[in-house]
Amino acid sequence: AGNAAAAIEALERASKLLPQANGDANPNAMIAQIATKQGDTARATRALEAVVKVDSADVESARTLAQLLAKQGDQARTAAAYAVVAELDPFDVQAQTAVGRHAMQQKDAPRAIRAFRSALAAGPPDRASAHVELAEAHLLAGQLGEAKRETLAALEIAPAFERAQDLLLKIISAQ
């Protein structure tokens, strides 16, 4: 523990001397690794935020940051981190889904539709849920035909999926 604390202290000094260092040379990336091993989530989060701020193409650091923030329950910062991941890796199903869900909470239907379409195109493990989420975004946008089409696609995959069944009833009653 003493060596780790001394290492973090030295790396913090290095990060002040070389604030624009990126890649393997980024002291904050090393701080994040040490802090994560020690279970210091707050310190690891701060370090990863510093890494992503300097190295905007570091998708792995952005992905790790998003996962840490999600565990902390910070929805706004988690959504922002996943937005970075989705921008860097448009085929990241988890990131696209997180962006879509946040957009739904913000009542931003166009953004939710884009994100859920991307998640579906990336081949999610649960395609039925992905179709339902896209259908819900279409419903929010007032696109009942598209919402119905996506809901029916979900029900083709999983006929007993209650969420899809309930959504279909909601769509039919709105038509």
Side-chain angles (χ1 to χ4, degrees), residues 38-102:
Q38 289 185 312
D40 187 351
T41 305
R43 184 69 193 101
T45 300
R46 285 193 309 273
L48 286 168
E49 285 174 330
V51 169
V52 172
K53 184 178 179 182
V54 171
D55 189 355
S56 60
D58 187 346
V59 69
E60 289 309 317
S61 291
R63 192 174 280 127
T64 303
L65 174 61
Q67 292 166 352
L68 282 176
L69 290 169
K71 289 178 187 174
Q72 295 172 36
D74 189 334
Q75 292 183 352
R77 287 171 61 206
T78 300
Y82 273 125
V84 171
V85 175
E87 186 176 311
L88 295 172
D89 182 3
F91 298 105
D92 186 309
V93 173
Q94 185 178 7
Q96 292 290 1
T97 301
V99 168
R101 288 177 181 160
H102 184 71

Side-chain angles (χ1 to χ4, degrees), residues 63 86 89-97 113-127 130-131 134:
R63 192 174 280 127
D89 182 3
F91 298 105
D92 186 309
V93 173
Q94 185 178 7
Q96 292 290 1
T97 301
I113 290 169
R114 277 192 311 274
F116 290 139
R117 271 192 188 139
S118 295
L120 194 55
D126 183 357
R127 292 188 64 78
H131 279 289
L134 180 54

Side-chain angles (χ1 to χ4, degrees), residues 83-165:
V84 171
V85 175
E87 186 176 311
L88 295 172
D89 182 3
F91 298 105
D92 186 309
V93 173
Q94 185 178 7
Q96 292 290 1
T97 301
V99 168
R101 288 177 181 160
H102 184 71
M104 289 292 289
Q105 290 173 350
Q106 301 299 311
K107 305 291 186 215
D108 184 351
R111 186 168 187 209
I113 290 169
R114 277 192 311 274
F116 290 139
R117 271 192 188 139
S118 295
L120 194 55
D126 183 357
R127 292 188 64 78
S129 289
H131 279 289
V132 168
E133 288 182 313
L134 180 54
E136 289 169 341
H138 280 298
L139 184 60
L140 178 64
Q143 300 167 349
L144 298 179
E146 290 294 321
K148 186 175 181 180
R149 186 175 4 269
E150 292 299 331
T151 304
L152 290 172
L155 288 169
E156 283 180 21
I157 296 166
F161 189 15
E162 283 186 43
R163 183 174 163 201
Q165 292 171 347

Side-chain angles (χ1 to χ4, degrees), residues 8-20:
I8 286 178
E9 189 177 313
L11 289 166
E12 285 175 340
R13 283 193 309 272
S15 73
K16 289 177 184 158
L17 293 171
L18 302 165
Q20 298 302 314

